[in-house]
Amino acid sequence: MTATPDSVEQVRGLLEGQDYIAGDRLSTAVFLALSLKRPLFLEGEAGVGKTELGVALAAALGRRLIRLQCHEGLDLAGAAYEWNHARQILAIRLAEAEQRVDEMSEGLYSREFLIERPLLKALSPRPEGPPVLLVDELDRADEPFEAYLLEFLSDFRMSIPELGEVRAPEAPVVVLTSNRTREVHDALKRRCLYCWVDYPTQAAEARILQARVPGLPEVLRAKVVGFVQGLRREGLFKSPGVSETLDWAESLMAMGAREVDTQAVSETLGALLKYQEDLEQVDESVVDRLLAASA
């Protein structure tokens, strides 16, 4: 386990050790979240590295990563816990066969028959320290779950009627992400430190590419970054994120491309753009213009 960093620079260094390049604002937000023991709420376009921040932070701190992927209809059973009814029925039948039903009934609602979901797991003590709980794409969950999460984040405890209260001995490190497909309630935002994660600058994206795709020649790296940065100014329905930049760079390498020209771009544009309207908009004339600008 790595000790909690005591400066913004140390946070930046720890993340870079995991090949995650964070700017000043994001590094500061992470430092404050760790120092003040507050949840960190990250908002931004899809593919800018919000989820990856949680993964990199867990690895940098040497903590267990617990991920809760949010979706429509997510409820207590999927997020916190549920009873393993199939196993309980089997245990009852076995007890009936062995004529010890009274003894069995007392232990039917014990931890042995409890299925722990991410929120409950995050309350369990770990030898290496509290885990990193990544609540991913919170905007996909329904508002009732958001209300439950607000209560959970207030004191990191959970009441299980059959067992009693479960409380974390130490608050987990919590990272929440949202692609802003809907607004998350203000009350939840107030519980957290907030940071908007934007597309990286050209220099930062070049460093990300260097760290994550080290085999890409420097000349190609500069061309890839310049083209993608220009593409984001074209007013597309969905601009490419960092993950798409990495995919495209790896695609070019897989194709054995020695330069980024019109043909190479046209053949691999699907790694960058995922909507037909955008692919139609970025025709050969646009590609030529962006390549010329990125030279």
Side-chain angles (χ1 to χ4, degrees), residues 15-273:
L15 292 175
E16 286 188 9
Q18 302 302 318
D19 294 336
Y20 189 95
I21 309 300
D24 292 342
R25 187 167 51 184
L26 182 56
S27 299
T28 302
V30 172
F31 169 70
L32 291 175
L34 294 174
S35 300
L36 304 177
K37 300 187 185 304
R38 295 277 298 277
L40 177 60
F41 184 74
L42 303 176
E43 233 177 12
E45 298 289 340
V48 294
K50 303 183 298 296
T51 301
E52 197 60 27
L53 185 277
V55 176
L57 184 59
L61 296 175
R63 308 282 181 84
R64 182 189 184 193
L65 174 68
I66 298 175
R67 179 173 177 173
L68 173 60
Q69 175 63 52
C70 296
H71 56 81
E72 187 177 352
L74 180 63
D75 59 9
L76 190 67
Y81 71 90
E82 66 178 324
W83 292 104
N84 190 335
H85 296 303
R87 192 174 178 193
Q88 286 174 318
I89 291 171
L90 284 175
I92 291 171
R93 289 177 177 170
L94 182 61
E96 287 174 339
E98 296 175 349
Q99 296 184 338
R100 52 181 185 84
V101 176
D102 292 341
E103 176 189 335
M104 183 66 244
S105 61
E106 295 177 2
L108 208 51
Y109 286 96
S110 62
R111 295 294 286 255
E112 179 185 355
F113 296 101
L114 191 67
I115 301 175
E116 296 188 0
R117 300 303 187 196
L119 295 185
L120 182 56
K121 287 180 181 178
L123 301 180
S124 301
R126 305 284 301 180
E128 68 273 19
V132 173
L133 173 63
L134 173 62
V135 182
D136 209 12
E137 298 185 333
L138 179 60
D139 51 324
R140 290 177 177 270
D142 302 315
E143 290 189 9
F145 172 73
E146 205 177 297
Y148 177 79
L149 187 62
L150 175 65
E151 183 181 348
F152 175 84
L153 294 177
S154 66
D155 49 15
F156 296 105
R157 64 187 172 96
M158 184 181 299
S159 178
I160 301 176
E162 298 86 350
L163 290 179
E165 183 179 278
V166 179
R167 182 187 290 268
E170 190 174 353
V173 177
V174 182
V175 177
L176 304 99
T177 77
S178 167
N179 293 332
R180 211 178 188 183
T181 57
R182 71 168 178 83
E183 286 294 331
V184 172
H185 199 280
D186 285 348
L188 188 64
K189 285 186 176 179
R190 283 197 297 272
R191 191 78 68 188
C192 309
L193 297 180
Y194 177 86
C195 184
W196 173 264
V197 183
D198 211 342
Y199 295 113
T201 63
Q202 187 157 341
E205 192 154 29
R207 291 183 63 200
I208 293 169
L209 212 51
Q210 184 176 13
R212 303 296 292 271
V213 191
L216 188 70
E218 185 177 351
V219 175
L220 286 188
R221 184 166 66 239
K223 199 79 174 178
V224 165
V225 172
F227 184 85
V228 173
Q229 293 273 327
L231 206 52
R232 292 183 185 135
R233 294 190 287 269
E234 289 296 311
L236 300 173
F237 177 72
K238 174 65 180 74
S239 295
V242 177
S243 57
E244 280 80 23
T245 306
L246 298 173
D247 287 345
W248 190 41
E250 289 173 345
S251 298
L252 290 170
M253 288 183 64
M255 296 283 288
R258 295 180 179 276
E259 60 180 333
V260 183
D261 54 19
T262 305
Q263 182 180 353
V265 173
S266 300
E267 290 173 347
T268 56
L269 201 53
L272 277 175
L273 304 178

